[in-house]
């Protein structure tokens, strides 16, 4: 993948798919899942999940997303939906350019963050990149008028070498009850990120 003159790579699990930011892949996946889902309550849940995902994807495209991938899988105990998006951002002059400042301003959906938002900032090291800033926690955003949505999120702020730009790797999922497992997965996916033409440093499991 390329943003500006800089190429980069990231690995996602084998059962994830890369999405086109126009939303066609999501529509195909929704139709496939509905064909496999006979009962109405589950179909309603699938439809609602995909409506929210489409809103997130549309907002991501407007905010400079250059990559998106994810999974929507039905298990015995319910629907698992998770994704990763990469945003290319050049902060306007005068704005806080620090990783902490950028991460605090950022949300997965792009909407106004609600009172249910609780996130923690840390500094991490990516094997193929070096030190990065990371914001992890639960994010409540308004994805439509009067419609709030809670997501497990991990925003990782990666400076682009020899540039004023940064990339923000955003991993997200509405599956709050399995947040701890999702954080481990998101950390593994983000850890594969690297600049250059080489393949990602490791495959996420």
């Amino acid at each position: 993948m390329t943003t500006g003159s800089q190429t980069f790579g990231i690995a996602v699990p084998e059962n994830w798919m890369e999405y086109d930011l126009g939303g066609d892949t999501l529509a195909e996946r929704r139709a496939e899942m509905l064909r496999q889902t006979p009962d109405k309550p589950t179909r309603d849940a699938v439809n609602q999940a995909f409506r929210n995902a489409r809103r997130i994807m549309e907002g991501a495209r407007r905010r400079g997303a250059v990559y998106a991938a994810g999974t929507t899988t039905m298990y015995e105990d319910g629907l698992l939906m998770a994704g990763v998006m990469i945003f290319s951002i050049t902060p306007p002059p005068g704005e806080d350019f620090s990783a902490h400042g950028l991460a605090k301003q950022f949300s997965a959906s792009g909407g106004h963050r609600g009172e249910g938002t609780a996130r923690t900032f840390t500094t991490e090291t990516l094997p193929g990149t070096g030190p990065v800033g990371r914001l992890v926690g639960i994010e409540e955003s308004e994805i439509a008028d009067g419609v709030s949505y809670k997501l497990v999120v991990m925003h990782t702020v990666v400076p682009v070498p020899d540039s004023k730009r940064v990339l923000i790797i955003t991993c997200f999922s509405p599956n709050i009850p399995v947040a701890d497992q999702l954080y481990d997965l998101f950390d593994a996916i983000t850890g594969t990120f690297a600049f250059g033409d080489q393949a990602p440093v490791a495959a996420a499991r």
Side-chain angles (χ1 to χ4, degrees), residues 70-182:
T71 184
T72 308
T73 307
M74 185 65 70
Y75 294 98
E76 290 184 2
D77 54 352
L79 179 69
L80 173 66
M81 178 173 280
V84 57
M85 297 182 292
I86 299 178
F87 297 84
S88 178
I89 294 175
T90 303
E95 287 199 8
D96 187 351
F97 188 66
S98 70
H100 192 187
L102 289 171
K104 283 179 63 178
Q105 297 171 30
F106 212 75
S107 71
S109 70
H112 175 72
R113 291 184 294 278
E115 295 180 358
T117 295
R119 304 178 302 178
T120 302
F121 183 82
T122 61
T123 300
E124 307 291 338
T125 299
L126 300 187
T129 304
V132 296
R134 175 172 288 172
L135 200 65
V136 173
I138 304 300
E139 190 174 280
E140 182 180 47
S141 296
E142 186 175 279
I143 59 175
D145 291 341
V147 179
S148 292
Y149 200 49
K150 284 189 176 182
L151 295 170
V152 179
V153 297
M154 178 180 288
H155 303 301
T156 303
V157 181
V158 182
V160 177
D162 303 317
S163 171
K164 294 182 179 180
R165 289 179 298 114
V166 297
L167 298 182
I168 299 182
I169 306 170
T170 292
C171 300
F172 61 95
S173 172
N175 294 83
I176 308 295
V178 292
D180 288 342
Q181 295 96 310
L182 286 167

Side-chain angles (χ1 to χ4, degrees), residues 12-96:
V12 295
E14 291 181 358
N15 64 335
W16 286 37
M17 64 175 61
E18 294 187 357
Y19 295 139
D20 67 282
L21 288 164
D24 290 343
T25 313
L26 279 176
E28 294 168 5
R29 179 62 178 147
R30 171 181 169 273
E32 178 185 342
M33 291 198 69
L34 288 175
R35 287 194 296 270
Q36 301 170 2
T37 307
D39 61 290
K40 186 178 186 303
T42 305
R43 290 173 66 88
D44 289 345
V46 168
N47 280 324
Q48 184 60 52
F50 275 91
R51 276 194 293 270
N52 292 337
R54 176 175 282 278
R55 290 180 182 126
I56 291 172
M57 201 70 69
E58 289 171 350
R61 188 175 64 252
R62 291 193 299 269
R63 292 181 293 131
V66 295
Y67 175 81
T71 184
T72 308
T73 307
M74 185 65 70
Y75 294 98
E76 290 184 2
D77 54 352
L79 179 69
L80 173 66
M81 178 173 280
V84 57
M85 297 182 292
I86 299 178
F87 297 84
S88 178
I89 294 175
T90 303
E95 287 199 8
D96 187 351

